[in-house]
Amino acid sequence: MKRNNEKGDRRTMELRIDFPELPGEMDLAALRRGLDEVLEDDGWLLASGQEGERGFVELELEDEKINPKYGIMAVKAYLQRAGFDPKTTIELAGTPVGIYE
């Protein structure tokens, strides 16, 4: 994972979500739309994919004062409300953390 990328005069950080399966009837497109709504102008999708049930989404978060905690908290809250498996992780700067931790 890259850290503190420069985008013009904005700093950004990459966030990766790894999930063992999507909850309920959700598909990958619905997950991407939901994350887009949660992040609004504070982040954007870089990549996503799914192999069988497992999958990932990579996001770039705008890094306000080198502290993306609000974006991270918003993503974690969204995943929890959507009913993601407890084995789902988010990874920031190479360190995966469970979404319920």
Side-chain angles (χ1 to χ4, degrees), residues 20-34:
E21 63 185 0
L22 291 167
E25 299 296 317
M26 181 181 283
D27 62 11
L28 192 56
L31 171 57
R32 292 191 312 248
R33 283 190 306 273

Side-chain angles (χ1 to χ4, degrees), residues 1-90:
M1 291 278 148
K2 293 178 189 167
R3 192 176 170 135
N4 294 335
N5 301 320
E6 292 288 335
K7 283 259 184 181
D9 58 350
R10 295 186 297 183
R11 292 176 160 255
T12 61
M13 295 185 89
E14 291 181 15
L15 174 77
R16 180 181 170 105
I17 302 165
D18 286 292
F19 54 87
E21 63 185 0
L22 291 167
E25 299 296 317
M26 181 181 283
D27 62 11
L28 192 56
L31 171 57
R32 292 191 312 248
R33 283 190 306 273
L35 289 168
D36 189 45
E37 289 175 16
V38 166
L39 292 172
E40 296 177 356
D41 295 330
D42 297 325
W44 48 95
L45 179 71
L46 293 176
S48 63
Q50 199 169 4
E51 187 174 315
E53 296 284 313
R54 306 184 72 78
F56 74 95
V57 175
E58 291 180 356
L59 305 166
E60 194 156 358
L61 301 178
E62 189 165 310
D63 188 7
E64 304 214 4
K65 297 184 182 173
I66 312 175
N67 188 354
K69 70 180 178 182
Y70 298 110
I72 295 167
M73 289 170 36
V75 168
K76 282 178 86 169
Y78 169 77
L79 297 172
Q80 292 169 2
R81 282 192 313 272
F84 272 77
D85 186 292
K87 293 179 184 164
T88 300
T89 61
I90 60 170

